[in-house]
Amino acid sequence: MSVFDAILLFLAGFLSGAANAVAGGGTFITFGAMTLVGLPPIVANATSSVTQFPGYITSTLAYWTDIRHFWRGALLLCLISAIGALAGALILLALDNPSFRALVPWLLLAATALFAAGPWLKPAPKPGHEASVGSLAGSLAQFTTAIYGGFFGAGMGVMMLATLGLTQSGDYHRLNALKNMLAVVIAAVAIVVFVSGGVVAWPQAIVMIPGGALGGYAGVWIAKRVPQNVVRGFVIAVGLFLAFYYFGKG
C-alpha cells in the first residue's frame, strides 16, 4: 500500500463517516475507494463491512434510551438477522471474484436507487406507539434484508428502515433504533465469516477506521451547515459512477 493509497483510503473513511452521520450511504465511498486502490471486489466488500462496524455500534448506543424499552422483544429479530447475515456472507464467499464482479454494477444500481428513494421510504411517524417486533411479516422481511446485508451491505440501512416501517409499529426514532441494533448483529456475523474466510484487508481497514471515526464526528458539524440533499446527491453520484465504472470494466 503506497502513501497515496493510504491517504486516499483515510479520506474515503472520513467522507464515509461524514456521509453516514448526515444522510447514510458511506459504504459506497469505502467500497469504491478500496476497489480503486486495487483490492478485489469481494475483499473490498468484506473490508468495507469492518470499516462501517464502529459507526453501527455508536449509532446503537446513541439510541440506548429507546432500545432498553424493547430489546427483549427484539431478540427474535436479532436471531433472524444473525441467520440471514450468515447465509448472505457464506453466499458471498462461495462466489469467485469474476462472478461477484459481474453482480456488483447491478447491486450498486439497486442500492443507489434504494438510497435515492430513502426520503420517500421513511416510515410515517406514529407518536405514542411502542415498537412491535414480533410479526411474521416483519420476521420474513428482516430475514431477507439480513441476507442482503451479509452479502452486500450498501443500502442495507435504508432497506431495513423501509421494511421495518411497513411491518412494525412505533414512531420513527424507535424504528431507527431497532434498525441500528439489528445492523450491529448483521455486520458482526458477516465480519466473523469474512475474517474466518481470510478476505479482510486489514492494513486498508486500519487506515480507514480512524478516518471514519473523525468523519462521523465531523458529520455533526456538517449536518448543521450543509443541506442533506447536497450530501445525498454526492453519495448518489458516487454510487452511479461506481455502477457504470463496473459496467464499463465488464
Side-chain angles (χ1 to χ4, degrees):
M1 180 170 54
S2 68
V3 174
F4 175 79
D5 288 348
I7 293 173
L8 175 63
L9 292 173
F10 181 86
L11 291 176
F14 180 87
L15 290 174
S16 170
N20 282 336
V22 179
T27 303
F28 292 122
I29 301 171
T30 54
F31 178 81
M34 282 184 280
T35 57
L36 288 177
V37 299
L39 290 181
I42 290 178
V43 175
N45 185 44
T47 306
S48 188
S49 297
V50 174
T51 63
Q52 301 294 316
F53 188 65
Y56 292 146
I57 296 234
T58 54
S59 297
T60 300
L61 291 176
Y63 270 115
W64 180 246
T65 302
D66 296 282
I67 290 173
R68 65 188 179 88
H69 293 298
F70 62 75
W71 71 269
R72 290 181 181 85
L75 290 179
L76 176 60
L77 282 185
C78 287
L79 177 60
I80 290 170
S81 297
I83 296 171
L86 177 63
L90 290 175
I91 291 171
L92 177 68
L93 292 188
L95 297 175
D96 54 21
N97 275 295
S99 298
F100 183 64
R101 184 184 296 274
L103 291 174
V104 163
W106 298 103
L107 289 169
L108 285 168
L109 275 182
T112 303
L114 188 66
F115 180 76
W120 294 275
L121 295 176
K122 286 182 179 180
K126 301 174 184 176
H129 291 274
E130 294 290 325
S132 171
V133 294
S135 70
L136 177 61
S139 298
L140 292 174
Q142 184 57 31
F143 180 68
T144 303
T145 304
I147 293 175
Y148 173 84
F151 182 76
F152 190 68
M156 175 185 69
V158 177
M159 179 186 295
M160 192 161 14
L161 192 57
T163 56
L164 289 174
L166 292 173
T167 60
Q168 314 293 337
S169 63
D171 63 23
Y172 173 74
H173 290 293
R174 288 182 181 274
L175 294 173
N176 202 34
L178 178 59
K179 180 262 292 180
N180 289 336
M181 178 181 178
L182 298 175
V184 168
V185 175
I186 293 170
V189 171
I191 288 171
V192 169
V193 174
F194 296 150
V195 171
S196 300
V199 292
V200 175
W202 287 110
Q204 286 80 0
I206 290 170
V207 169
M208 298 185 82
I209 287 173
L214 290 173
Y217 183 82
V220 177
W221 183 90
I222 295 171
K224 295 178 180 179
R225 292 165 176 81
V226 179
Q228 285 199 15
N229 287 340
V230 173
V231 180
R232 291 186 65 83
F234 171 75
V235 173
I236 291 169
V238 170
L240 291 175
F241 169 79
L242 290 173
F244 287 106
Y245 171 78
Y246 275 104
F247 274 125
K249 290 189 70 173

